[in-house]
Amino acid sequence: MNTATKLGGYGAGLAALFAVALGAGSLAGPVGAAPERDDHGHGGHTAPAAQAGGEALPGGLQVSQDGYTLTPETTTVPAGKKTDFRFTVTGPDGKPVTRYTALHGKELHLIVARRDLSGFQHVHPVRDAKGVWSVPLTLPDAGTYRFFTDVHPQGAGEQLTLGTDVNVPGHFTPRDLPAPVQVAEVDGYEVRLDGTLKPGQGTELTLTVSRDGRPVTDLEPYLEAYGHLVALRDRDLAYLHVHPDGAPGDGETRPGPGITFHAEAPSTGAYRLYLDFKHAGRVRTAEFTVHAGQAPPTAPTPAESGHGDHRH
Ligand SMILES: [Cu+2]
């Protein structure tokens, strides 16, 4: 009894403290509290953590995070025309960032996908001395695209995936999300996916590359790995962090046919996976739809078979 009362009191105290902290955060937020600029990622700017209810958001959902903002020079690009896409990543001081820590051998990775998860591209823009990034891009079809930058500005507490929408005007025909398959084909290669995504839990995914039915055992290093995997959540395009297991030259990792990754899905639902791999001097992308958690609609439960006309 006594203990319960004490615990209750303790809990109430915590709740009160939390409420005070939230109040302070929301008061300080809009004013911009200049003195506490971040050296620790989320130290100074308390507002984002408080808004997210204490849980870290998946990457790619925010155009601005921890004081760093993705700023395109234009958010409209014509369909089917090669365009020099230019942008900056500005820091907490409002100026374009010019110092980055490389990730997989590049200062910045630009990932592009239309919001229906078609039209994937993974490119590496070049930066000028003033911090302006540019890359020639062709977006073949109309629609709204999500542009992601994977960066680690020096001074930021962690790697950031910032996201912005870019519009391509014209008649837009949305594509339904392709059904899950275990083997994807690209340019005469077959890529088999083994492993499953699980909500809130890290799992291993292995992608095995073959060509004409024969395993490919001479994959070429691409971005300091034998494969680069991007995973996007259907509907909001949350960007998952996926890490390759092993690297070329570590004495253990073989150049195929299997490439293993660690991935964690932030929730149940459908995801689109994009595997970049390099062979015979070219980078190709194999794509998969996968479901984390709930069974995909292609596997009806026995209880539901009564729906079918063929039973009675
Ligand atoms: Cu990249």
Side-chain angles (χ1 to χ4, degrees):
M1 282 286 217
N2 248 337
T3 315
T5 315
K6 265 188 189 166
L7 279 176
Y10 183 60
L14 270 185
L17 271 179
F18 187 54
V20 168
L22 271 179
S26 53
L27 277 176
V31 182
E36 287 185 77
R37 287 293 170 183
D38 59 286
D39 280 321
H40 308 286
H42 48 268
H45 299 262
T46 49
Q51 282 163 0
E55 269 179 48
L57 283 175
L61 298 175
Q62 304 182 90
V63 73
S64 188
Q65 185 183 346
D66 298 347
Y68 294 89
T69 304
L70 172 56
T71 310
E73 285 190 1
T74 174
T75 52
T76 302
V77 167
K81 246 194 195 173
K82 191 184 264 192
T83 304
D84 190 32
F85 184 74
R86 293 160 62 84
F87 61 97
T88 56
V89 176
T90 55
D93 59 2
K95 294 181 185 144
V97 174
T98 55
R99 289 156 64 87
Y100 293 85
T101 302
L103 306 163
H104 293 283
K106 298 283 180 185
E107 285 190 347
L108 185 144
H109 303 259
L110 178 67
I111 307 292
V112 173
R114 203 167 66 169
R115 279 203 162 271
D116 60 3
L117 296 172
S118 68
F120 176 86
Q121 295 189 42
H122 176 177
V123 293
H124 300 107
V126 294
R127 177 174 60 78
D128 71 14
K130 289 180 177 165
V132 179
W133 293 94
S134 63
V135 62
L137 264 187
T138 306
L139 300 176
D141 302 308
T144 299
Y145 288 73
R146 193 71 176 165
F147 278 42
F148 303 94
T149 54
D150 241 346
V151 285
H152 189 168
Q154 284 182 20
E158 57 181 348
Q159 176 183 344
L160 303 170
T161 305
L162 304 173
T164 188
D165 280 357
V166 172
N167 295 310
V168 179
H171 181 69
F172 165 50
T173 310
R175 180 192 74 169
D176 288 336
L177 187 65
V181 289
Q182 210 188 352
V183 177
E185 290 180 19
V186 55
D187 291 344
Y189 294 83
E190 307 92 51
V191 182
R192 193 183 78 237
L193 169 67
D194 291 296
T196 50
L197 273 184
K198 289 189 179 156
Q201 197 182 322
T203 55
E204 243 179 39
L205 301 174
T206 299
L207 294 122
T208 306
V209 183
S210 57
R211 191 182 194 180
D212 302 324
R214 256 175 279 153
V216 173
T217 54
D218 56 349
L219 289 172
E220 292 154 24
Y222 173 59
L223 302 172
E224 302 177 349
Y226 287 121
H228 193 95
L229 187 66
V230 168
L232 300 176
R233 184 164 62 187
D234 187 29
R235 299 187 192 166
D236 69 355
L237 279 72
Y239 184 102
L240 277 61
H241 278 284
V242 180
H243 303 280
D245 185 17
D250 65 4
E252 290 179 359
T253 307
R254 295 194 302 180
I259 319 165
T260 300
F261 298 90
H262 293 280
E264 182 173 335
S267 70
T268 57
Y271 294 80
R272 190 78 170 156
L273 308 185
Y274 309 86
L275 172 74
D276 293 327
F277 63 95
K278 191 174 177 188
H279 189 244
R282 273 192 59 193
V283 177
R284 303 155 209 271
T285 306
E287 301 188 18
F288 300 83
T289 297
V290 296
H291 287 264
Q294 288 156 353
T298 47
T301 60
E304 282 173 331
S305 61
H307 282 302
D309 292 321
H310 55 276
R311 284 239 32 186
H312 290 285

PDB file of all heavy atoms in Angstrom, residues 3 5 17 39 43 51 56 93 124 145 162 227 232 247 292 308:
ATOM      1  N   THR A   3       4.003   1.454  -0.585  1.00  0.00           N
ATOM      2  CA  THR A   3       4.862   1.508  -1.773  1.00  0.00           C
ATOM      3  C   THR A   3       4.088   2.033  -2.978  1.00  0.00           C
ATOM      4  O   THR A   3       4.564   2.872  -3.725  1.00  0.00           O
ATOM      5  CB  THR A   3       5.394   0.097  -2.087  1.00  0.00           C
ATOM      6  OG1 THR A   3       5.825  -0.489  -0.870  1.00  0.00           O
ATOM      7  CG2 THR A   3       6.540   0.159  -3.065  1.00  0.00           C
ATOM      8  N   THR A   5       1.482   3.910  -3.027  1.00  0.00           N
ATOM      9  CA  THR A   5       1.220   5.336  -2.895  1.00  0.00           C
ATOM     10  C   THR A   5       2.459   6.137  -3.283  1.00  0.00           C
ATOM     11  O   THR A   5       2.390   7.119  -4.016  1.00  0.00           O
ATOM     12  CB  THR A   5       0.842   5.672  -1.428  1.00  0.00           C
ATOM     13  OG1 THR A   5      -0.089   4.696  -1.003  1.00  0.00           O
ATOM     14  CG2 THR A   5       0.255   7.042  -1.329  1.00  0.00           C
ATOM     15  N   LEU A  17       6.959  17.212 -14.089  1.00  0.00           N
ATOM     16  CA  LEU A  17       8.235  17.673 -14.626  1.00  0.00           C
ATOM     17  C   LEU A  17       8.204  17.697 -16.146  1.00  0.00           C
ATOM     18  O   LEU A  17       8.654  18.626 -16.787  1.00  0.00           O
ATOM     19  CB  LEU A  17       9.359  16.722 -14.188  1.00  0.00           C
ATOM     20  CG  LEU A  17      10.038  17.053 -12.869  1.00  0.00           C
ATOM     21  CD1 LEU A  17      11.093  16.002 -12.574  1.00  0.00           C
ATOM     22  CD2 LEU A  17      10.655  18.444 -12.921  1.00  0.00           C
ATOM     23  N   ASP A  39      25.720  21.713 -30.159  1.00  0.00           N
ATOM     24  CA  ASP A  39      26.958  20.996 -30.423  1.00  0.00           C
ATOM     25  C   ASP A  39      26.708  19.505 -30.304  1.00  0.00           C
ATOM     26  O   ASP A  39      27.552  18.701 -30.615  1.00  0.00           O
ATOM     27  CB  ASP A  39      28.037  21.403 -29.405  1.00  0.00           C
ATOM     28  CG  ASP A  39      28.659  22.732 -29.802  1.00  0.00           C
ATOM     29  OD1 ASP A  39      28.872  22.946 -31.011  1.00  0.00           O
ATOM     30  OD2 ASP A  39      28.906  23.556 -28.899  1.00  0.00           O
ATOM     31  N   GLY A  43      20.865  18.528 -28.392  1.00  0.00           N
ATOM     32  CA  GLY A  43      21.045  19.148 -27.085  1.00  0.00           C
ATOM     33  C   GLY A  43      20.344  20.481 -26.973  1.00  0.00           C
ATOM     34  O   GLY A  43      19.498  20.679 -26.122  1.00  0.00           O
ATOM     35  N   GLN A  51       8.378  17.301 -29.787  1.00  0.00           N
ATOM     36  CA  GLN A  51       7.280  17.176 -30.737  1.00  0.00           C
ATOM     37  C   GLN A  51       7.076  15.715 -31.145  1.00  0.00           C
ATOM     38  O   GLN A  51       5.980  15.279 -31.387  1.00  0.00           O
ATOM     39  CB  GLN A  51       7.565  18.007 -31.996  1.00  0.00           C
ATOM     40  CG  GLN A  51       7.305  19.485 -31.769  1.00  0.00           C
ATOM     41  CD  GLN A  51       7.952  20.351 -32.831  1.00  0.00           C
ATOM     42  OE1 GLN A  51       8.601  19.852 -33.737  1.00  0.00           O
ATOM     43  NE2 GLN A  51       7.784  21.650 -32.686  1.00  0.00           N
ATOM     44  N   ALA A  56      12.516   9.056 -31.811  1.00  0.00           N
ATOM     45  CA  ALA A  56      13.120   9.612 -33.005  1.00  0.00           C
ATOM     46  C   ALA A  56      12.243   9.304 -34.213  1.00  0.00           C
ATOM     47  O   ALA A  56      11.730   8.204 -34.354  1.00  0.00           O
ATOM     48  CB  ALA A  56      14.507   9.026 -33.197  1.00  0.00           C
ATOM     49  N   ASP A  93      23.538  28.428 -38.729  1.00  0.00           N
ATOM     50  CA  ASP A  93      23.847  29.851 -38.927  1.00  0.00           C
ATOM     51  C   ASP A  93      23.176  30.413 -40.178  1.00  0.00           C
ATOM     52  O   ASP A  93      23.371  31.578 -40.528  1.00  0.00           O
ATOM     53  CB  ASP A  93      25.366  30.049 -39.014  1.00  0.00           C
ATOM     54  CG  ASP A  93      26.002  29.264 -40.161  1.00  0.00           C
ATOM     55  OD1 ASP A  93      25.251  28.581 -40.915  1.00  0.00           O
ATOM     56  OD2 ASP A  93      27.232  29.326 -40.317  1.00  0.00           O
ATOM     57  N   HIS A 124      24.991  11.406 -57.281  1.00  0.00           N
ATOM     58  CA  HIS A 124      25.942  12.102 -56.427  1.00  0.00           C
ATOM     59  C   HIS A 124      26.269  13.472 -56.999  1.00  0.00           C
ATOM     60  O   HIS A 124      27.126  13.597 -57.874  1.00  0.00           O
ATOM     61  CB  HIS A 124      27.192  11.245 -56.225  1.00  0.00           C
ATOM     62  CG  HIS A 124      26.857   9.944 -55.577  1.00  0.00           C
ATOM     63  ND1 HIS A 124      26.849   8.747 -56.243  1.00  0.00           N
ATOM     64  CD2 HIS A 124      26.437   9.673 -54.321  1.00  0.00           C
ATOM     65  CE1 HIS A 124      26.454   7.785 -55.424  1.00  0.00           C
ATOM     66  NE2 HIS A 124      26.193   8.324 -54.248  1.00  0.00           N
ATOM     67  N   TYR A 145       7.718  14.330 -56.675  1.00  0.00           N
ATOM     68  CA  TYR A 145       8.847  13.485 -56.299  1.00  0.00           C
ATOM     69  C   TYR A 145       9.346  13.891 -54.930  1.00  0.00           C
ATOM     70  O   TYR A 145       9.260  15.049 -54.528  1.00  0.00           O
ATOM     71  CB  TYR A 145       9.997  13.652 -57.301  1.00  0.00           C
ATOM     72  CG  TYR A 145       9.723  13.026 -58.655  1.00  0.00           C
ATOM     73  CD1 TYR A 145       8.825  13.619 -59.548  1.00  0.00           C
ATOM     74  CD2 TYR A 145      10.356  11.848 -59.025  1.00  0.00           C
ATOM     75  CE1 TYR A 145       8.567  13.043 -60.784  1.00  0.00           C
ATOM     76  CE2 TYR A 145      10.115  11.267 -60.268  1.00  0.00           C
ATOM     77  CZ  TYR A 145       9.219  11.863 -61.139  1.00  0.00           C
ATOM     78  OH  TYR A 145       8.965  11.292 -62.357  1.00  0.00           O
ATOM     79  N   LEU A 162      17.486  14.551 -45.019  1.00  0.00           N
ATOM     80  CA  LEU A 162      16.517  15.628 -45.193  1.00  0.00           C
ATOM     81  C   LEU A 162      15.724  15.357 -46.466  1.00  0.00           C
ATOM     82  O   LEU A 162      16.263  14.807 -47.430  1.00  0.00           O
ATOM     83  CB  LEU A 162      17.234  16.976 -45.287  1.00  0.00           C
ATOM     84  CG  LEU A 162      18.153  17.300 -44.098  1.00  0.00           C
ATOM     85  CD1 LEU A 162      18.950  18.578 -44.359  1.00  0.00           C
ATOM     86  CD2 LEU A 162      17.332  17.442 -42.818  1.00  0.00           C
ATOM     87  N   GLY A 227      26.865  -3.589 -52.330  1.00  0.00           N
ATOM     88  CA  GLY A 227      25.505  -3.192 -52.661  1.00  0.00           C
ATOM     89  C   GLY A 227      25.101  -2.034 -51.775  1.00  0.00           C
ATOM     90  O   GLY A 227      25.671  -1.825 -50.706  1.00  0.00           O
ATOM     91  N   LEU A 232      12.111   2.643 -48.648  1.00  0.00           N
ATOM     92  CA  LEU A 232      11.157   3.728 -48.425  1.00  0.00           C
ATOM     93  C   LEU A 232       9.805   3.151 -48.032  1.00  0.00           C
ATOM     94  O   LEU A 232       9.339   2.175 -48.631  1.00  0.00           O
ATOM     95  CB  LEU A 232      10.987   4.568 -49.699  1.00  0.00           C
ATOM     96  CG  LEU A 232      12.244   5.251 -50.242  1.00  0.00           C
ATOM     97  CD1 LEU A 232      11.927   5.970 -51.558  1.00  0.00           C
ATOM     98  CD2 LEU A 232      12.812   6.231 -49.226  1.00  0.00           C
ATOM     99  N   ALA A 247      32.313  -5.173 -45.680  1.00  0.00           N
ATOM    100  CA  ALA A 247      32.742  -4.267 -46.748  1.00  0.00           C
ATOM    101  C   ALA A 247      33.825  -4.937 -47.579  1.00  0.00           C
ATOM    102  O   ALA A 247      34.549  -5.797 -47.075  1.00  0.00           O
ATOM    103  CB  ALA A 247      33.272  -2.962 -46.149  1.00  0.00           C
ATOM    104  N   ALA A 292       6.204  -5.282 -43.830  1.00  0.00           N
ATOM    105  CA  ALA A 292       6.671  -5.517 -42.470  1.00  0.00           C
ATOM    106  C   ALA A 292       5.449  -5.825 -41.617  1.00  0.00           C
ATOM    107  O   ALA A 292       4.446  -5.134 -41.702  1.00  0.00           O
ATOM    108  CB  ALA A 292       7.390  -4.291 -41.922  1.00  0.00           C
ATOM    109  N   GLY A 308     -14.812 -16.726 -51.106  1.00  0.00           N
ATOM    110  CA  GLY A 308     -14.734 -17.156 -52.499  1.00  0.00           C
ATOM    111  C   GLY A 308     -16.023 -17.854 -52.931  1.00  0.00           C
ATOM    112  O   GLY A 308     -16.701 -18.510 -52.136  1.00  0.00           O
TER     113      GLY A 308
END
